[in-house]
Amino acid sequence: MGFISQVISVICGLIGLIFTVFLVFNILEKSPGNERMQKLSKIIQVGARSFLFSEYRILFVVIFLFAGFLWLVSSYQMALSFILGSAFSVLSGFLGMSIATRANARTTNAAISNLNDALTVSFNGGAVMGMIVTSLGLMGLGGIFFLGNGNTELMSGYAMGASFVALFARVGGGIFTKAADVGADLVGKVEANIPEDDPRNPAVIADNVGDNVGDVAGMGADLYESYVGSIFSASVLGSIAFSFKGALFPFFVASSGLILSIFGIIFVNYYIKKTKEVEPEKALHFGTYLTSFLQAIVVFFLSKIVFGNFYSGLIVIMGMVVGILIGVVTEYYTAKKPVTELAKSAPSGSAPLIINGLALGMESTLFPILLIGTAIILSFYLYGLFGIAIAAVGMLSTLGMSLSIDAYGPIADNAGGIAEMAHLEPYVRERTDKLDAVGNTTAAMGKGFAIGSAALTALALFASYLQVTNISIVDLNDANVFTALLIGAMLPFLFSSMVMKAVGNAANLMVEEVRRQFKEIVGLMEGKADPDYGKCVKIATNGALKYMILPSLVAVIAPMIVYFLLGKQAVAGMLAGTTGSGVMLAIFMANSGGAWDNAKKLIETGKYGGKGSLAHKASVVGDTVGDPLKDTAGPSINILIKLMSIVSIVIIPILIRIFE
Amino acid sequence: MGFISQVISVICGLIGLIFTVFLVFNILEKSPGNERMQKLSKIIQVGARSFLFSEYRILFVVIFLFAGFLWLVSSYQMALSFILGSAFSVLSGFLGMSIATRANARTTNAAISNLNDALTVSFNGGAVMGMIVTSLGLMGLGGIFFLGNGNTELMSGYAMGASFVALFARVGGGIFTKAADVGADLVGKVEANIPEDDPRNPAVIADNVGDNVGDVAGMGADLYESYVGSIFSASVLGSIAFSFKGALFPFFVASSGLILSIFGIIFVNYYIKKTKEVEPEKALHFGTYLTSFLQAIVVFFLSKIVFGNFYSGLIVIMGMVVGILIGVVTEYYTAKKPVTELAKSAPSGSAPLIINGLALGMESTLFPILLIGTAIILSFYLYGLFGIAIAAVGMLSTLGMSLSIDAYGPIADNAGGIAEMAHLEPYVRERTDKLDAVGNTTAAMGKGFAIGSAALTALALFASYLQVTNISIVDLNDANVFTALLIGAMLPFLFSSMVMKAVGNAANLMVEEVRRQFKEIVGLMEGKADPDYGKCVKIATNGALKYMILPSLVAVIAPMIVYFLLGKQAVAGMLAGTTGSGVMLAIFMANSGGAWDNAKKLIETGKYGGKGSLAHKASVVGDTVGDPLKDTAGPSINILIKLMSIVSIVIIPILIRIFE
């Protein structure tokens, strides 16, 4: 059965990749529009590539060094797994983003003829990311498991490779995107007095690139890590609880989720084709619900076939439901009544708006924690630690579909920008705005989903850590464990602080470069000369990569220091502390930031004073404060939590072998 | 030996009270200044009394009901201990604040002749609070222990009484003070355009009252709770580890700390008398260091006499050192280089200032946690859980001295306000400003100290909880415990959110009342009629008490719910989670708020644009955002952490008895 399951995983991955190729051709055969649109799209592509290449240059060195270290202290197979895990993550990020930056102008062009076509192009653009991430993730993990003859340790190397890339993509990308955003705004809008998205601003492309980098590639790498991490840890825990069939069940679940995501994507395409004047939100929601519904049925039978009962099927379904509900809660706090209430305080000034926004974000931690807690307890009662891990797999099993919708958002957003910059008819922009509005909602839900899945994955990894280090009890009544818990709870605060400062520092470098180009490039302001977009992108990239080193080191080194000073149980205590405070901080930051963003948008529709009013000014302050919280620090904490766990899983057993 | 120790505790308490009487006479025999100064001081006194009486009316009902509940499910002795614990806390708050509101004008008047006398009056005013809190705390706890024939359970009732009052004083007082502050500023300064501290503003007295309520009574009740909680839990853990002598050692340490604090206070008085042109900071620091130094020597011998070795003496000293170092770190982040750096970002606008301030506060969690962690581990290795508890006792043993300095700050602050409002010569204000500047530093250090001692006390209470519920292991590898940890980590966020919203709601009520008085009282604006200060104070009080109910219920009910749903081990997990994320949030909020406050003050000295500049406006926003963080939400978390522990200690064993 083992053989079959792994072959199925690899085959499903291959099917996913073949389907992706169809999607890519389907997108590329569409016209990218007139010359100006093509030029704009091209500039963004070049910028994105420039970012990725600079990033990869440093990333490869880190990967190479760490692989060497793994070879030295473990085995060459381990090093290879690690390299494969990172290579596949890089590959999916690169391909997914390349297509996303090509789908944007094509979406704009399709919007000239009708909304339905525009929705199809942008959705399929996002679907490429969704399919590559899940196909490569499943194929790679299944392949490693197969080649390693069921050796779960090698999978941990693969998962760590995914984590390292996620760190670069999320933290580096997060710093990049906000540094570019702030840099572009400060010099362009404020000093040079040119409008937003003006192509004369050298940093404006970096800003657009940043959206793709953060929301497409960053989100993709984050969820790739969760996807791989949850399957890996479920497989480890399953093999302990139910030997081989337990190890393979997660792969079955992921495989069926992948195939059903393909069905879902095809269904959305079909639904759009058949429906006159489609409502984008409905189309996307139908796709998600159909995929989840079918997966629930399949998993139910899978559970009966593999284990002889429906327990594990129930857990997987619960994981899916909790994932969707966390998204709903996130949407409520960042788009519904709380945002209206928040916007109402804007006329009193920026201070009340900030205070209320902070309070809103803090309050919003309540329901996600109750949901996650319920999932943990029910799944644990049904199937022990393995239960928790497959709840995480369940939440992520239809990632192919949900990530498609996440990645659709920034494409629609870029499409609107291109419509604006290419001076197309207003009705085109109206159509892309419709797509964009849905994208904002799905982006908020996606962020909640990313945090929720990171929390469950971290818990599954925590359980795996206990297994690989042979810890049966982590006693809070032990001073070392309690102290480590406090240190762990402190790390997300320290990490957030570093990341937020990094945004400020990188933004300063960007400001200087933009000022320099305005001064030195003759004819730039008159539109006679092009700015050096690449230079700007590179400056932001280097700044981002430079300032992400310290926080990254914290994530990698903290488990080792705690191990040496306080022992292996204390490492578990630290992971619990980091998960505990980290999940709260991540939810708080994401939702405060999201709510400020939407409060500003609400005011810009004319409410509470409208554009240019004091309320609007206050809301701009709120939005600016929220940006690094929701797009840099908050999402980076997802990575921190998972990376610390996976580093502990890989490194601590090696240290134990050497030093004990 | 037991008999002697308790008699000593009660006698030391009595000595402290007699000394307090001398201090009170010493202050009251000073002249309260001219008619106008007396009138202003009187108004503040009446306002403070008005607040306290309204608060007590509700507090008494709660105490009465809860005492009845305790009688029903436990014993009448338990109910009486609870009543005594709350009565003594109320008494010390009432007396301490009464003297503080009388010392303010006397300080101003003394400043007319010279700085030395002004320092003496204000310091002695603070010393009254310091001495009453420690004397009543020690006397009550020692008396209960004596009367109960060494029954530690009765002490838990006493400690819970202290906790309930602390909840009202800190949370209610914190909401009150910021609601009054915001209400006074919004209508007075912004709408009616009258200066700050103008006696025509009906809310201005509420504002002054608020300073006393929050910084004197609130801080006092907070530390009273820590003081009582740490001695109680050290006594419980000591009795288990070393039977009777272990139970009594904490009382010895506290008794010697109390007597040496009296020496310290006398020394400061003597030093001021003998020194020409005294430097206030030096005088206060000398007092603290002398007291700590003498206590270190005494405790060293105490340790040898009681246990035959120096271990427990070393732990007590370590507790004292860590307390002082946390204060130093707090001072660094709220008054040194980081604040200068923060102020530098003000010219870029309020958004960068807010982001950097948030980052500063988050970063500032690092060293306090490392210090607390070191204290936990070293003391645990020397003496187990008992070691941790006596580290907390050590930190708090010289509270008589350190609280004197804390409470001195608001008196000096009020003295400056009275000098301003009474139109005294500028040199008087200059002198009180000198005192006030030192007060700001000591206030920041005091806040750090309050958080640090709350953390260690919470840990000691955590250990006591395990003892009274017979839990030997709290296993993070148990899904219930881990889930409870997540819920616990969420509670400080939820609680902070509620408290911050409460400030906003109560401030709105205040704004309406001030507007009403401006409109309805004829001749108010012309200074011909007096505003109804009492009404304003009552409105703020009622608002504060109304909005504190929900967060308070959370603190009291959460342990019970978690016990019923997840079991007694899970309650321990929850307490660990709350302590973990709560301590970080408290430090973060206190230091962000403190840094914004001082950044504003720095800019007001003329740096980075000075008063009226855009940088100044940005810094005002920062300060306003920081106010509810540092004066309401942050300090309230101290109470949340301790109250949840003490509620668990008292209630869960009763529930276990009933339901298991």
Side-chain angles (χ1 to χ4, degrees), chain A residues 465 557-571 574 651-660:
Chain A
Y465 171 73
I557 288 176
M560 301 189 213
I561 294 180
V562 167
Y563 167 71
F564 281 120
L565 291 179
L566 305 171
K568 64 181 184 180
Q569 273 90 352
V571 173
M574 179 182 63
I651 304 288
I652 305 297
I654 294 173
L655 295 180
I656 290 174
R657 220 178 295 145
I658 297 174
F659 293 99
E660 279 180 17

Side-chain angles (χ1 to χ4, degrees), chain A residues 51 171-181 206-207 209-210 213 536-537 540-541 544:
Chain A
F51 166 77
V171 182
I175 296 172
F176 178 98
T177 178
K178 288 302 126 182
D181 191 4
D207 189 9
V209 170
V213 163
C536 248
V537 171
T541 308

